[in-house]
Amino acid sequence: MLSKIISRQDLPKLIDALTNDFLVIAPTYDKKVPTFSEVESSSEVEFDILFNEKLPMLPPKKVFLPAKQTVFKYNLIKGVTDSCDEISDAVTHNKNVVIFGVSPCDVSGVGVLERIFRDNYSDDVFLRLHDKTTIISVNCLDHCYENCFCETMSSNDPKSGYDVMLTEISKSKLIAVPNSDKGKKILRDYPELFSQISEKDSEAYIDALNLKNKNFKTEFLVEGLASHVEDSFESEIWKEFTEKCLFCGSCTFVCPTCYCYTVKEIVSVDLKDGERQREWDSCYFPEFALVAGDHNFRETKEQRFRYRYLHKFVDLPRRYNFEGCVGCGRCVTYCPANIDVRDVLKKIIGVM
Amino acid sequence: MASKPQIGIVGFTGCAGCQLSILDLENELLDLLGLVDIIDFRMAMSGNKKGPYDILFVEGSIVNKHQEEELKELREKAKVLVAIGSCASFGGPQAIRNYRDNKKTKIAQYGKDNIDKVEVIKVKPINKVVKVDHYLLECPVNKYEFLDFVKYYLVGGTPTLPNYPVCQQCKAKGNRCIFLEDGIMCMGPVIQAGCDALCPSYGMPCDGCRGSTLEAAYDQQVQLMIEKGASVEDITRYILKYNGEDKQVHEFLMEKWKEQDKKLVYQED
Amino acid sequence: MTSKSYHIKHICRVEGHGNLLVEMEGNEVNHAEMQIIEGARFFEGIAVGRKYDEAINIMSRICAICSTSHQLSAVGALERSVGIEPSKQVNDFRVLLDHGENLQSHILHVGMLALPDFLGFDGVIQMVPKYPNEVKMVLSMKRTANDLQTLIGGREIHPVNIKPGGFGAYPTTNQLKEMKEKLVVFKQNTQAFADLLATLKMPEFENKTEQVAVYDGKSYPFTKGDHKCLLSGKIVKPEDYKKNFIKEEVRGYSSAKFSTINDGEIYYVSPLARVNINYKFLTDDAKKVLAQFDMKLPNFNPFNNNVARVIELMHCVDEAIEITDKYIEKPPKDDNKEFKIKAGTGSLATEAPRGLLNHSYDVDKNGIIKRADVITPTAHNLNKIEDDAKKFGSLIADKTDEEAELLLNMLVRSYDPCISCSAHAIRIDLRRK
Amino acid sequence: MRNAAIAHNVGVCTPNNAKIIKITELTHNTKLFEIQLEDEHSNNFFDYSPGQFVLITVFGVGEIPIGLTSTPIKRGSFELGIRKVGNVTNKIHQMNVGDIVGIRGPFGKGFPIEENKHKDLLYVCGGTGYFPIRSTFLYAIARREDYGKIMFLYGDRCPTDVLFPDENDDYKKREDILFHQSVDRDDDKCWEGNVGVVTTLFPNIAKEIDPVNTVVFVAGPAIMYRYVIIELEKLGIKNENIYLSLERKMKCGIGKCCHCGIGDKFACLDGPVFSLDQIRGLLEAL
Ligand SMILES: Cc1cc2nc3c(=O)[nH]c(=O)nc-3n(C[C@H](O)[C@H](O)[C@H](O)COP(=O)(O)OP(=O)(O)OC[C@H]3O[C@@H](n4cnc5c(N)ncnc54)[C@H](O)[C@@H]3O)c2cc1C
Ligand code: SF4
Ligand code: SF4
Ligand code: SF4
């Protein structure tokens, strides 16, 4: 078996070893907010976030699709000068990237984005960063907090999208299961940290997975959700929630599967050079579908509120066969108006 | 290249912070001077010319008849007129007094004898006097927005200012939401971004100096503030800081909130 | 005998709208009026009815140039009103922030407003072609000063980080280290700047009046202390500022108030007054700068304010470096405490870059402000400016009109008046039942 | 459907530098730009199907979607007709021959012109809708023998707004094309033809229509669609034979930025050309 064992004590050593070879991104606190950020040593990593089951406020999408990102650079007269390849190398200082401590739902979230950005026309800006990244996931054995409903969205047991999965099999030991060549390479490259797996470890792993199975509960049935949402196009439900919503967009920014963006041109003060920047946008904002001549294709707040659900629960399932939601509950946690996506869906299905 | 655009920066009643902010563009100032001719900037130089201007930036609110006339004259000489800062755009903090009974304030402030010594008219943002082509926001004006405006003007077009709430930039920076988590009365959800969520980034509530977003959800915001324990007077104060003459603030206060806060009286002209 | 009148409209390169009217009869000025035509804004009135913690930001809009001073004065006076005692750390950071403003304001004044006068330019913008390096140095110094304000206050103008009892957030050690490096460069530039200024000659003029500055007997204080008079040696507690000390009156030609002390005496507040009163407490390097100029203390030439500013640049940058070092060593602690507040009255006397600043408030038990009173440096000085102008006759009698106007302009400029800050209110006292 | 080739040497998010090689002033606010990619290989490779669009960047100002208006039969360069309405379009209008712009694309699904060989074609367009329609129209008349009747109805606001007047006159003279034109208003009384909205042209062709064998291509302002559809239904043309080009805000052109979402479809990927029966099923379309 390719899996190996790593002791909990050795995790800091692993991080330190990785920082020599990679740009390492791991959970930390930034002014009391749990977050993913670049670390230079294991002392900066908050293992507490990982093992006391908190989700960083911003999901790992912030690595591939940050709030602001340069797409390419140009000269105003001569045109494009730096393509996105050069720019993504500059962002990572010519290194490969490791994101450490990604929860299974976030692995699924990255998977959703990857498919969307790879399919049809592949978005080089996103994929360049994505493809040089190794994802080390830390498994969840139970709902991490009250807003989590990953089991309902079947995202707590991703089959792909991660390179190594670490699962706690006892207080002191984790099993490291590689899931790609990049993952195997990690286990191979740091032999002093990974030991062979024993029979007892295997059993403990199976026990852990069984425990996981038992602990996770489904809150409602997602089957047929797309038709339900579509059928409720004219329903009063949208109005009810629209009346509470601030349209601040917070839910869309913290969501691991929301990816709308807009672009801006930034020009230097001497007016010689410029760059195109991508910036997070949100379908909740009034100008999202506004075009020249003041025509707005989504004029009312209700239309905007509804569109997010249409996109997540109708368009994406039809197009790709997955929902645009992994049940991480961030949008619930960070909504100043306390709107709960589960309530919206339950009302639509008719179970609330 | 054709001759450089002629720029004027003038101030009416305010704290002069917007003009000072422009002087705070130390790193860019010399480059900027290569692009435009500043012909009128009383705060920074003598020998000013009163137009004609390609772009005239106007700071401050209008508080007397004399200023109204002067502003109208300036408008005639300006191809493009841009309001900078909260005072010019929304009346600024002094517009708070537009929502108080003028006569009573006057008597209380000067005593009956002094009442005629100083002329007091309603505080007006400049768009109540002349046509305004663009607004650059913040208190004081965001100097980078000012710079962007000049750059875009020169390259062609106008910059699109963010019309989304401060929460966008708060989330982008990974800030803790002080409204949700600490119950601090942050106006971020209804206020236009562009300041890079300055106040919340320091753990301080957004005071709303950039004015309302398009379609700001005041009803919902106020509802949440009440749930968090704010009183009627509190809410009036939170809303009425730098923004008295913002259209949506005015509408909300006078059409909805007046029923709650009976002390709100709007001074008609 | 010829009579002549100068009406200097819209004094440029000072902030806000003011005119100076000077009427001459032969060599004598027989009438001078400092007319503040800035629209009144009634800040004291606006403050009434506000919660004590929000008023801090609003009061800073009295004047952007002193916005940090206004916030620091407001927060200090309001803390006294409701009974909050800030910690040593908070006081240190407030001084640091205040020095950011002092450095910024002084370099702006001397480098961008006064220097063009002495070198014969309309403004700093016009200086660029001939003095590119000097302008660049001034700009980079101003940038550093602004960076310091931004680091502590959140923004160069109208800081956002100040709250009763402390700060919203503190800088990190790395940020402080970076700041320290910039301050060290600033200090070198200050010396170069002092050397440059020492080659220029200040116009000779003297008007010996009382001078007032904040004094605490142990330091060169900016953020709190008592009032001290230079000539009489009188000391007045901040809360007694209106008890037989400062009096304000309204005059028809100006939207700002005029004040006197001790029943009708003209007085003067300024960097020069501070140097006159507190020179003993300057840092060693600042004392060395003082020695570079042949300026006898106590000094009564308002043009020497420019010298005082350069001395203070050195003093403030020294102190800023000291405080930065202290907190690089020992990083600041979070100080988000809940405070119990009580009703009360609080007054504070501080030094804004251009001189004495008074803030005073009554607050009720719910933290709502019932009375507010502010006297800004420019309001303190309006009488003195008029008085100087009246005594200016001999200096301008044999000058061309153009030269005379320039000199009068320079005189007003030497006070660095923010005219809108003096026009924040006309009212004398507001007590609401 | 023709296979659209994306000619990108840099990755699909970065534009190809391209040169404006010819500018023709069409009306007071529209110009026709002929453009060539700088990279020779990409330029030779550049192919599109009528109705597709490109994203054109004016460096320093922004990027906007513009329908290709030339026919793909003509290789080596392509044409864009652009009306001045805002920042980017204003700036393009100030540009000169030889200036560099950025081009991404072609993107989207065009009009199914190859799929409908031997059918009768009816074109209906208004305003700038002429631009994308022209591409398929030129394609069809270049292969005239492949198609049955070709009918063209074009309406614009006023005589000064009329696009391609010379080309139009040629078409009017041709016997193998039924070309009808109108203007909404003729305030200066200088228009000799029909006055009225585009739907007033329908009686001219009503008798020519074979409802079963006719395919309709429509492009124009959003309000036009509603009335045109009513006319087409009166003629008995089935929804699946009516194709409309929808305009939406677009930032990426490749289904990522989400601005052009219409219900559960994207105008840039699934459109901009949709059949009416597709649109009927689309929430939020018309
Ligand atoms: C598929 C498609 C094909 C088009 N073909 C043509 C054509 O052949 N000729 C022509 O003149 N115009 C065409 N348009 C419309 C053209 O894209 C807009 O006129 C243009 O985007 C306006 O940009 P602006 O910067 O000048 O206007 P502004 O009002 O300054 O617009 C600001 C931004 O909003 C967005 N935007 C505004 N209006 C539109 C719009 N109608 N559609 C999409 N995005 C918009 C753009 O991102 C633009 O940069 C087409 C639009 C689409 C979607
Ligand atoms: S919609 Fe909400 S619960 Fe679902 S993935 Fe996004 S943030 Fe998480
Ligand atoms: S702190 Fe204020 S601005 Fe920031 S997310 Fe919360 S409500 Fe929005
Ligand atoms: S957070 Fe609010 S008050 Fe603070 S600068 Fe931004 S808009 Fe102004």
Side-chain angles (χ1 to χ4, degrees), chain A residues 291-292, chain D residues 64-65 67 81-83 85-89 247-249 251:
Chain A
V291 298
Chain D
I64 55 165
I82 301 176
R83 171 166 289 174
V85 294
N87 286 334
V88 179
T89 48
E247 240 180 54
R248 286 295 185 275
K249 185 152 175 168
K251 292 292 174 185

Side-chain angles (χ1 to χ4, degrees), chain B residues 11-17 20-21 23-24 26-27 29-30 33 38 42-48 63 67 93-94 96-97 100 108-110 117-118 120 138-140 143 198-199 202 204 207 237-238 240-242, chain C residues 10 12-13 15 17 38-42 45-46 48-51 54 57 61 63-65 108 113 122 125-126 128 136 139 142-143 146 150 154-158 160-163 168-169 250 368 420 426-427 430:
Chain B
F12 288 93
T13 293
C15 72
L20 191 62
S21 280
L23 286 177
D24 279 343
E26 296 90 358
N27 295 343
L29 212 52
L30 296 181
L33 291 174
I38 299 185
R42 204 159 60 213
M43 186 178 179
M45 60 193 218
S46 334
N48 295 302
V63 302
Q67 289 182 336
Q94 53 273 24
I96 292 173
R97 76 161 193 249
R100 292 183 181 172
Q109 296 212 339
Y110 303 116
K117 273 199 181 164
V118 169
V120 187
E138 216 159 304
C139 179
K143 56 183 186 177
L198 182 65
C199 303
Y202 282 86
M204 306 295 270
D207 279 346
R237 288 200 329 265
Y238 295 137
L240 197 54
K241 277 182 185 153
Y242 307 107
Chain C
H10 293 324
C12 291
R13 278 185 276 147
E15 187 291 300
H17 301 182
E38 177 71 49
R41 287 177 299 154
F42 314 102
I46 292 169
V48 171
R50 289 271 150 187
K51 197 86 173 274
E54 321 162 351
N57 285 350
R61 268 67 185 180
C63 167
I65 304 193
L108 172 82
L113 307 184
D122 275 347
I125 293 170
Q126 287 81 355
V128 174
K136 271 193 195 133
L139 287 177
K142 193 159 156 302
R143 184 69 254 150
N146 275 333
T150 309
R155 182 158 61 190
E156 296 98 337
I157 303 170
H158 299 316
V160 299
N161 196 18
I162 298 175
K163 63 179 189 186
V250 182
I368 302 292
S420 63
I426 315 278
R427 212 207 79 249
L430 177 107

Side-chain angles (χ1 to χ4, degrees), chain C residues 5 72 81 153 161 163 170 196 209 213 219 272 283 294 297 324-326 345 358 373 377 380-381 408:
Chain C
S5 87
L72 290 173
S81 315
N161 196 18
K163 63 179 189 186
Y170 285 96
L196 174 70
T209 65
S219 68
L272 184 63
T283 62
D294 65 12
L297 293 187
T324 316
D325 276 340
K326 178 170 163 191
T345 295
N358 295 86
D373 186 35
H380 283 299
N381 278 338
L408 282 165

